Amino acid sequence: MQVVIFSVILALLFISLLLVYLNWRSKQPIEVTGGPDEVIFLANQLLHSGREAQALDYLERAAAMGMAHAAQFLGELYSLDDHHLYDLDKANHWFQQAGELDEQFAQIQRQMLKLKLHPSQKGGSHELEAMLKPGADQGNSQHQGELGRLYQESPLLDPDGSKALHYLELAAEAGDAEAQYHLAKVLLEPRHGEPDPIRARALLTAIADSDPLAKSQLAQMLLRGEGGPADPREAERLMREEAEDNEFALIELAHLYQEGKHLPKDIDKAEECLRQAMAMENNSATYLLGELLLKHKRANDSHLEAITLLTPLAQQWMTDALFLLGQAHEEGLGTRRHLPTALAYYRLAAIDPAPYHLERVETLSAKMGSYEKEQAESLYQAFLTEHPIEKSQQACIDLTHGLRLLHEDDKGKRHPREAISFLERAALAGENLAFKPLHKACAELSQRVDAAVWAQIALEDQFYFLPTGEMESSLASLKQGFSESEQALFEQRLQERREALTGH
């Protein structure tokens, strides 16, 4: 019996010593071996098994040995706002270390800052400037190019444009093709001083074969004779090359062939371009091809194809497609002539109250008797029942009309006050393309607080990918002149708009 008890005691002692050893062993530093994939894999295993302290120690030692991936992983861990590790100071420290160890991580972080997607920093021109300037001043051509673009897009940092010109020129001299393109853009549209289209054209010519944006810009200059003699043949060649896999370039080329102003008019070439763009599932190309077939082709087969192309677009509430179907039924193109159907389509198109839509409804209605108008009403209501307008479609229609009101009408007049109601309705329904024109319309009417509100909302929008600095500059100017009461009203209305947009 004593032997059994003694054996049990020994067994328990062994187990206790084993547990102590395993606990001690689990806290010992793990040797950092292997590449980034192996290190990150092991760190994940440690985290998922509850050995968080050991995982953090392991990653910190890997980062201290020069492994950028470990530093980046630490930054991401500390920037998880729904995790108990959340610590922005530590996150920024490790993100900075990752960028110092590996330029690719630095590029990613700069891009995320620019797009306001960085997990630990809000993003902003001052932070980007601080990241780029030391390297740019030490001769890093990539940093020079990025800094030049930042200044190009940030008039608050570079009011006269001299910094953008300086850093872009340095990067361009080092052979940076992207910097050469943006330097050409600065020379064409300088913030101060006279444009230099001759030098810009020379820069674009040097990089056109390797840079699609430069090729497109150069083609436009050659068409207009800007910076040198016009050369439509070379412009057409460049645009043809650009259009090989670019649906928007194909549409632009088709427009030039149809217009016949800068290139010889050629409807067949225009049709060829639009068919290529349509094959890339571009709805605008489909609409434009339908329009071309109705207006420039005489064969009934072409008109039948046009109706086939336009009908699905009309059902998606493309109002110009609805209008063309109205014309087809009024003139008997590809279908029997039927005025009630034509009027129904015109009325549907006039949900976008463009003057030519409204005029056509009025003109055709005047030619028709009461029975035909009843038929048109029945067809109109049937279409609405079968294809109700979705909120996003109505927002697009409101945006289109709002933008139309901001431009001169056939009498040379603009209607910014009327535009605001349509644009605001579009914005609150989720159409973010309305933000910038809303800002402009409000500013034009001296509605300073609302202009500032829409500028702020545009800058906060995650899809605002093409900053020019104009919005930042305008917002800063507006807010600088605010009284105390205007500032309070701005904050109130901004919060109201944010809440309305969140609930759209």
Side-chain angles (χ1 to χ4, degrees), residues 253-315:
L253 193 54
H255 171 72
L256 291 169
Y257 285 135
Q258 277 190 263
E259 185 184 43
K261 182 178 179 181
H262 295 294
L263 294 177
K265 189 169 184 175
D266 193 321
I267 299 302
D268 290 336
K269 284 184 178 180
E271 180 181 351
E272 173 196 352
C273 290
L274 290 174
R275 289 191 183 279
Q276 288 180 48
M278 189 179 71
M280 300 176 189
E281 300 183 358
N282 185 294
N283 279 349
S284 294
T286 304
Y287 164 76
L288 291 168
L289 179 60
E291 181 185 45
L292 179 148
L293 293 172
L294 282 178
K295 292 185 175 181
H296 297 286
K297 299 289 183 176
R298 295 183 179 181
N300 191 54
D301 286 348
S302 295
H303 298 159
L304 284 169
E305 183 186 4
I307 290 176
T308 300
L309 294 172
L310 293 168
T311 298
L313 300 179
Q315 292 169 353

Side-chain angles (χ1 to χ4, degrees), residues 43-346:
N44 269 313
Q45 281 191 318
L46 292 169
L47 288 167
H48 292 150
S49 63
R51 297 158 70 183
E52 185 179 279
Q54 200 171 13
L56 294 174
D57 173 71
Y58 178 64
L59 288 167
E60 287 179 12
R61 285 185 293 109
M65 293 168 60
M67 188 173 289
H69 291 74
Q72 180 73 13
F73 192 16
L74 282 165
E76 291 168 4
L77 283 174
Y78 285 119
S79 65
L80 297 173
D81 56 9
D82 58 348
H83 195 277
H84 71 275
L85 285 175
Y86 182 65
D87 187 324
L88 284 184
D89 289 337
K90 288 184 179 179
N92 287 328
H93 166 76
W94 289 113
F95 280 131
Q96 182 179 352
Q97 182 130 340
E100 291 172 357
L101 291 169
D102 190 322
E103 175 59 24
Q104 286 189 328
F105 282 119
Q107 288 180 38
I108 291 170
Q109 289 169 29
R110 292 197 297 269
Q111 190 64 16
M112 293 180 77
L113 273 172
K114 188 171 183 179
L115 300 179
K116 303 168 191 170
L117 298 174
H118 198 285
S120 70
Q121 296 169 308
K122 293 181 180 178
S125 53
H126 290 284
E127 290 171 329
L128 280 170
E129 182 184 34
M131 291 178 73
L132 290 166
K133 199 168 188 309
D137 289 340
Q138 291 168 17
N140 185 315
S141 61
Q142 182 171 338
H143 288 200
Q144 289 167 347
E146 287 188 49
L147 186 58
R149 284 195 64 188
L150 174 64
Y151 286 134
Q152 181 185 7
E153 298 166 358
S154 306
L156 292 178
L157 292 178
D158 183 21
D160 63 0
S162 59
K163 294 179 183 178
L165 192 64
H166 170 69
Y167 284 104
L168 286 172
E169 282 185 329
L170 289 175
E173 288 170 5
D176 185 325
E178 189 175 356
Q180 290 173 322
Y181 167 74
H182 288 287
L183 177 58
K185 294 285 286 183
V186 168
L187 292 169
L188 287 171
E189 300 175 6
R191 201 161 288 153
H192 293 289
E194 292 297 319
D196 190 348
I198 296 175
R199 188 181 172 202
R201 180 161 159 172
L203 284 165
L204 294 170
T205 301
I207 59 173
D209 290 338
S210 59
D211 189 322
L213 291 174
K215 184 175 292 185
S216 175
Q217 183 70 46
L218 177 61
Q220 295 301 318
M221 295 184 75
L222 292 171
L223 285 174
R224 297 190 297 264
E226 190 175 1
D231 190 345
R233 186 183 295 275
E234 176 64 7
E236 182 180 14
R237 183 189 72 79
L238 291 171
M239 295 187 75
R240 277 285 185 183
E241 287 182 2
E242 184 193 2
E244 286 178 3
D245 57 355
N246 184 327
E247 59 203 275
F248 301 104
L250 283 164
I251 291 172
E252 172 64 18
L253 193 54
H255 171 72
L256 291 169
Y257 285 135
Q258 277 190 263
E259 185 184 43
K261 182 178 179 181
H262 295 294
L263 294 177
K265 189 169 184 175
D266 193 321
I267 299 302
D268 290 336
K269 284 184 178 180
E271 180 181 351
E272 173 196 352
C273 290
L274 290 174
R275 289 191 183 279
Q276 288 180 48
M278 189 179 71
M280 300 176 189
E281 300 183 358
N282 185 294
N283 279 349
S284 294
T286 304
Y287 164 76
L288 291 168
L289 179 60
E291 181 185 45
L292 179 148
L293 293 172
L294 282 178
K295 292 185 175 181
H296 297 286
K297 299 289 183 176
R298 295 183 179 181
N300 191 54
D301 286 348
S302 295
H303 298 159
L304 284 169
E305 183 186 4
I307 290 176
T308 300
L309 294 172
L310 293 168
T311 298
L313 300 179
Q315 292 169 353
Q316 296 167 33
W317 286 95
M318 183 182 284
T319 55
D320 282 339
L322 286 162
F323 187 79
L324 283 180
L325 286 175
Q327 287 186 321
H329 284 84
E330 183 180 8
E331 299 172 22
L333 302 174
T335 184
R336 69 186 180 93
R337 186 171 185 266
H338 192 245
L339 296 186
T341 302
L343 181 57
Y345 275 124
Y346 286 142

Side-chain angles (χ1 to χ4, degrees), residues 41 46 68 83 133 200 224 313 384 390 403 476 483 497-498:
F41 177 76
L46 292 169
H83 195 277
K133 199 168 188 309
R224 297 190 297 264
L313 300 179
L384 287 175
E390 295 180 3
L403 293 175
S483 64
R497 293 290 187 272
R498 283 172 174 159

Side-chain angles (χ1 to χ4, degrees), residues 391-392 395 424-435 500-501 504:
K391 191 175 182 179
S392 60
E424 188 167 77
R425 192 163 66 185
L428 295 177
E431 184 55 82
N432 63 347
L433 292 178
F435 297 161
L501 288 166
H504 75 73

